[in-house]
Amino acid sequence: MNLNTDAEQIRSLLLKNFSEIAERKLQEDIVQVARLMSFRAGELIMDFGSFVRIVPLVVSGSIKVVREDSDGRELLLYYLQPGESCSMSFTCCMMNKKSEIRTVAEEDTEIIAIPVRYMDEWMSKYQSWKNFVMRSYDRRMVELVRTIDDIAFKKMDERLLQYLEKKAEVNRSKEISATHQEIAYDLNASREAVSRLLKQLEKEGRVKLGRNKILVTGG
């Protein structure tokens, strides 16, 4: 790829999706050191136990962020969408920790990838970068508290419907491509429970079930 063309594309995507990264010198620093990376839907971006090498700025598509417990059970934490970054990657890279999350492309996704070695320097050098990082932490904390509340206080059918609605929103389509087992993994539930509740939601007119597809109708 032509490096000048790549730099111009990064600059354009940065201005379009990350207006809060406002300092011109910071924008130029990002353009100089970052690279564009693309991932197909379902492709693994970062796995549990790996060292974080880049900080992702999402410019198109979406990324699913998943946590795994000591028994290997997974739980969907949140999605990253255009204009967002992963606060957990900030924490891991600045503390040189291995990743405690898995990130997977929910759909075809493109990111601006920034090498982690610039994180500490930019936190003290650029106010807009510090503000961006802190706002990212705040947004993710709200998401995590909401996830905890859902697990603690909501019935499984409520969680399932909310999950489907959020997935439809992220993918910008009422039709969701997912198996019952995949949904069960995301909700840390059994496949049998998910299948039973999906059938109940279909009876209520909230979804229509197909082969590995679910249409969210709203009821």
Side-chain angles (χ1 to χ4, degrees):
M1 178 179 291
N2 184 287
L3 292 180
N4 289 332
T5 301
D6 200 17
E8 287 304 315
Q9 189 176 1
I10 290 174
R11 183 179 289 105
S12 175
L13 291 169
L14 191 64
L15 293 173
K16 177 182 177 182
N17 294 281
F18 295 90
S19 58
E20 59 193 304
I21 300 178
E23 291 159 287
R24 183 64 61 85
K25 184 61 172 64
L26 171 57
Q27 294 170 357
E28 291 306 312
D29 280 358
I30 292 174
V31 167
Q32 291 300 314
V33 304
R35 69 184 191 276
L36 290 175
M37 297 181 69
S38 299
F39 302 91
R40 296 287 186 132
E43 186 175 351
L44 177 68
I45 299 173
M46 182 175 64
D47 206 355
F48 306 113
S50 60
F51 282 104
V52 178
R53 304 301 181 189
I54 58 99
V55 169
L57 304 182
V58 183
V59 294
S60 67
S62 58
I63 297 173
K64 181 169 68 174
V65 181
V66 177
R67 180 80 167 92
E68 184 179 70
D69 69 14
S70 57
D71 296 322
R73 294 174 298 187
E74 296 182 358
L75 177 67
L76 172 66
L77 297 181
Y78 50 79
Y79 293 100
L80 298 175
Q81 300 185 70
E84 297 182 337
S85 187
C86 183
S87 58
M88 290 192 177
S89 68
F90 294 137
T91 301
C92 290
C93 72
M94 287 190 286
M95 299 181 67
N96 197 32
K97 291 172 53 181
K98 291 183 178 180
S99 174
E100 297 180 356
I101 58 171
R102 171 181 291 144
T103 56
V104 179
E106 175 71 10
E107 54 188 326
D108 290 350
T109 298
E110 186 172 37
I111 67 171
I112 297 172
I114 302 173
V116 298
R117 63 181 178 274
Y118 297 98
M119 296 303 99
D120 279 336
E121 176 188 345
W122 290 355
M123 282 288 286
S124 58
K125 187 176 180 181
Y126 296 116
Q127 186 63 44
S128 65
W129 180 256
K130 182 178 180 180
N131 292 343
F132 172 71
V133 170
M134 298 310 295
R135 277 193 288 267
S136 295
Y137 275 121
D138 184 61
R139 283 194 292 265
R140 296 289 77 88
M141 182 59 68
V142 170
E143 292 270 8
L144 290 174
V145 169
R146 187 177 296 128
T147 298
I148 293 169
D149 284 348
D150 289 347
I151 295 171
F153 304 119
K154 288 189 176 180
K155 296 179 180 178
M156 180 55 74
D157 58 344
E158 294 178 290
R159 288 180 59 205
L160 175 58
L161 185 58
Q162 182 175 290
Y163 165 88
L164 295 172
E165 290 172 342
K166 182 63 177 179
K167 196 173 180 71
E169 175 191 333
V170 167
N171 288 280
R172 296 173 294 282
S173 173
K174 292 288 187 180
E175 186 174 88
I176 296 168
S177 297
T179 67
H180 294 190
Q181 184 62 69
E182 288 168 344
I183 296 171
Y185 282 142
D186 284 346
L187 293 176
N188 196 8
S190 70
R191 182 189 58 77
E192 293 77 11
V194 167
S195 296
R196 174 174 52 80
L197 290 171
L198 283 172
K199 289 177 182 177
Q200 181 60 42
L201 290 174
E202 186 174 43
K203 288 181 181 178
E204 295 172 3
R206 298 189 178 192
V207 302
K208 289 184 179 180
L209 303 180
R211 183 173 178 81
N212 296 337
K213 291 185 183 298
I214 302 165
L215 179 66
V216 181
T217 59

